[in-house]
Amino acid sequence: MSRGKTASALDLPRPDTLDAGKQQGAYEALRGAILNRQLPAGSRLPSTRSLAERWLVSRGTLEAAFDRLHSEGYVQRVAGSGTRVCAVIPEQFIAAPLAREIPRRPVAPDQPDAGVQSHVPFVARRPDASLFDLKTWARCISRGLLTVGPGVLEAAHPAGLPELRAQIADYLRSYRGMQCEADEVIVTTGIRHALDLIARSVLKPGDTACVEDPGYLPARRLFALAGAHIHAIPVTADGLDTAQLPEAARLAYVTPAHQAPLGMTLSVSRRLALLDWAARADAWVVEDDYDSEYNYNTAPLAALKSLDSGDRVIYCGSFNKNLFPGLRVGFMVVPNVLRRSMLRTLQLTGHSVGASDQLGLVEFLRSGAFVRHLRASRQAYQARRDALLECLGGHCTVSGQQAGLHFVLWLPPGVEEGDFCSRAAAVGLTLQPLGKFCHALALPPAVIIGYTALTLAQIRFHGRALAQLL
């Protein structure tokens, strides 16, 4: 027998695991002997020849098991010296020893989000994920990854993949009337991420940020976190009352396509007045275009950004509102003077979108699947809206139903929002009072009705219950 190949004096009995699978069984037996110190650190393993004779397996089976132990760091194989157990086994690097057995505490269950939820009547102001074609999405992600190869997974694109930004810019030119190019687009994880970037990059403590009243609560809170003074501007039938905008404000946040939550469209005259104010005050306008894809009666107005000859509008959009909530991909169209500071903030916070989702969206947009999905989902949401309005009949007043994912239901005179929401909860309905969205403005009692993430059967069943409450 050659030097270093003599059998170890340590007897390793044939393990029972060999009967299930010889190579895996041999590996598990040797690894177990190392971990329980039957083979202590520094000891030499028997030669594969002698162990093969003892265990009645082929030498090749044991060579494969030895190679695996070597690759995982359990043993060292040196020509002429045999195979020896490493001084420090791998588990000692990743598992700290326990001085005593500590009983594990029970895990507290996650509490459901108390805000907007899918399939909860009538707080479901979000897209219906069941309408999304998962097979097409899977093909788009696979095709995108296979087309670009591993290089794109290593490249750093803080603003988002150039291909995705080009597709977004093309979509905005075709469907939102905007003249923008790919280098103006920054990919985000959604509207709130965009607002956070804007607050961090544009606002300084003490600045005035104007918001709609009633309006989108997260915008108000994010601007306040940046140290801004919040100035609430009332909303009228034509949208934001631009006559009340202060000259000293730093920015104004608006939802011109479908005001959140009242649902009216900002009139053209007020859009022009808003842009004129921004130019005079050297201020920025933040356009939240969160659900402009869904209009049920007429074609939508072009985006406010399309009128922005002075480059004062920061446009925010999101795929989370028209594909599915868990996607977490949005975008901004940023004025050139703000682009560098926005990217610095984005890199510092580290909030970026994964390459696979971006590549999937590139293919989804390029193939036309996105526009096809919008057409199909728009028809489905219109049918659900019509079914709900039919359940309510003509005995109630609604507004904002011409577009978007929700409308406002105005309550009968003398009915309080809190009392009505409590009675609705008793019959399984979750309603949000309009007063929750107001800052200083006092409006008649009303509730927000979300319907898009409900099935037709749910809408008809719960719609009748809502009608009975009215």
Side-chain angles (χ1 to χ4, degrees), residues 306-372:
S306 67
L307 303 173
D308 182 27
S309 58
D311 209 19
R312 308 301 304 177
V313 175
I314 308 169
Y315 178 91
C316 303
S318 174
F319 294 105
N320 308 325
K321 282 291 187 181
N322 45 43
L323 294 182
F324 57 93
L327 179 59
R328 312 318 310 161
V329 182
F331 54 90
M332 295 190 293
V333 178
V334 179
N336 184 58
V337 69
L338 294 177
R339 178 179 171 81
R340 183 170 296 180
S341 62
M342 290 275 191
L343 289 178
R344 280 200 302 264
T345 304
L346 180 59
Q347 289 178 292
L348 180 63
T349 56
H351 292 171
S352 56
V353 179
S356 59
D357 283 340
Q358 292 191 62
L359 289 168
L361 264 176
V362 170
E363 294 295 326
F364 203 71
L365 289 162
R366 180 185 293 155
S367 66
F370 178 64
V371 174
R372 290 194 296 272

Side-chain angles (χ1 to χ4, degrees), residues 125-379:
R125 302 193 320 273
R126 52 172 48 183
D128 185 357
S130 67
L131 298 176
F132 187 69
D133 189 344
L134 289 175
K135 291 183 178 179
T136 298
W137 178 245
R139 286 195 297 268
C140 287
I141 290 181
S142 177
R143 189 160 56 242
L145 288 170
L146 294 176
T147 300
V148 300
V152 74
L153 304 180
E154 301 170 359
H157 295 288
L161 294 181
E163 298 87 350
L164 177 57
R165 288 186 279 129
Q167 289 294 325
I168 292 173
D170 182 66
Y171 170 77
L172 294 175
R173 286 192 300 269
S174 301
Y175 291 91
R176 298 302 292 135
M178 295 166 50
Q179 295 303 314
C180 66
E181 300 298 336
D183 59 357
E184 301 172 65
V185 177
I186 294 178
V187 177
T188 67
T189 61
I191 297 291
R192 296 191 193 193
H193 182 203
L195 296 179
D196 184 42
L197 285 175
I198 293 167
R200 294 171 186 262
S201 305
V202 174
L203 294 175
K204 299 188 296 293
D207 284 347
T208 297
C210 299
V211 298
E212 298 169 319
D213 187 15
Y216 184 50
L217 296 180
R220 187 188 308 168
R221 293 168 182 166
L222 287 168
F223 297 153
L225 283 176
H229 169 68
I230 306 301
H231 190 100
I233 306 296
V235 173
T236 69
D238 289 328
L240 184 79
D241 188 355
T242 52
Q244 299 194 38
L245 287 168
E247 294 294 328
R250 181 62 173 160
L251 66 79
Y253 167 83
V254 292
T255 52
H258 188 240
Q259 200 276 334
L262 293 180
M264 74 281 291
T265 300
L266 186 65
S267 67
V268 174
S269 60
R270 289 200 174 176
R271 293 179 186 223
L272 295 174
L274 178 60
L275 295 175
D276 183 60
W277 165 84
R280 291 196 320 269
D282 191 25
W284 302 103
V285 176
V286 180
E287 178 181 11
D288 183 348
D289 204 33
Y290 67 102
D291 66 356
S292 63
E293 293 86 1
Y294 298 111
N295 282 266
Y296 308 121
N297 299 341
T298 61
L301 285 176
L304 173 65
K305 180 70 175 174
S306 67
L307 303 173
D308 182 27
S309 58
D311 209 19
R312 308 301 304 177
V313 175
I314 308 169
Y315 178 91
C316 303
S318 174
F319 294 105
N320 308 325
K321 282 291 187 181
N322 45 43
L323 294 182
F324 57 93
L327 179 59
R328 312 318 310 161
V329 182
F331 54 90
M332 295 190 293
V333 178
V334 179
N336 184 58
V337 69
L338 294 177
R339 178 179 171 81
R340 183 170 296 180
S341 62
M342 290 275 191
L343 289 178
R344 280 200 302 264
T345 304
L346 180 59
Q347 289 178 292
L348 180 63
T349 56
H351 292 171
S352 56
V353 179
S356 59
D357 283 340
Q358 292 191 62
L359 289 168
L361 264 176
V362 170
E363 294 295 326
F364 203 71
L365 289 162
R366 180 185 293 155
S367 66
F370 178 64
V371 174
R372 290 194 296 272
H373 172 79
L374 290 182
R375 292 195 191 105
S377 56
R378 177 190 169 279
Q379 291 179 350

Side-chain angles (χ1 to χ4, degrees), residues 7-11:
S8 169
L10 184 65
D11 184 25

Side-chain angles (χ1 to χ4, degrees), residues 28-200:
E28 292 177 357
L30 292 169
R31 179 177 176 274
I34 293 171
L35 293 178
N36 63 26
R37 301 298 192 275
Q38 187 179 358
L39 290 172
S43 63
R44 189 169 64 182
L45 270 68
S47 69
T48 54
R49 179 180 291 109
S50 63
L51 198 58
E53 294 174 355
R54 188 179 312 157
W55 284 4
L56 303 177
V57 296
S58 69
R59 188 178 178 187
T61 296
L62 290 173
E63 285 287 350
F66 276 44
D67 286 342
R68 182 175 172 185
L69 291 169
H70 175 253
S71 68
E72 295 177 357
Y74 289 98
V75 299
Q76 291 179 323
R77 305 195 76 181
V78 181
S81 298
T83 303
R84 295 183 179 273
V85 179
C86 292
V88 181
I89 59 175
E91 273 71 8
Q92 290 176 300
F93 288 112
I94 60 175
L98 289 175
R100 58 187 177 85
E101 188 68 25
I102 301 176
R104 296 183 60 183
R105 63 172 179 81
V107 178
D110 288 339
Q111 297 299 316
D113 182 10
V116 177
Q117 303 174 57
S118 299
H119 308 296
V120 176
F122 285 97
V123 74
R125 302 193 320 273
R126 52 172 48 183
D128 185 357
S130 67
L131 298 176
F132 187 69
D133 189 344
L134 289 175
K135 291 183 178 179
T136 298
W137 178 245
R139 286 195 297 268
C140 287
I141 290 181
S142 177
R143 189 160 56 242
L145 288 170
L146 294 176
T147 300
V148 300
V152 74
L153 304 180
E154 301 170 359
H157 295 288
L161 294 181
E163 298 87 350
L164 177 57
R165 288 186 279 129
Q167 289 294 325
I168 292 173
D170 182 66
Y171 170 77
L172 294 175
R173 286 192 300 269
S174 301
Y175 291 91
R176 298 302 292 135
M178 295 166 50
Q179 295 303 314
C180 66
E181 300 298 336
D183 59 357
E184 301 172 65
V185 177
I186 294 178
V187 177
T188 67
T189 61
I191 297 291
R192 296 191 193 193
H193 182 203
L195 296 179
D196 184 42
L197 285 175
I198 293 167
R200 294 171 186 262

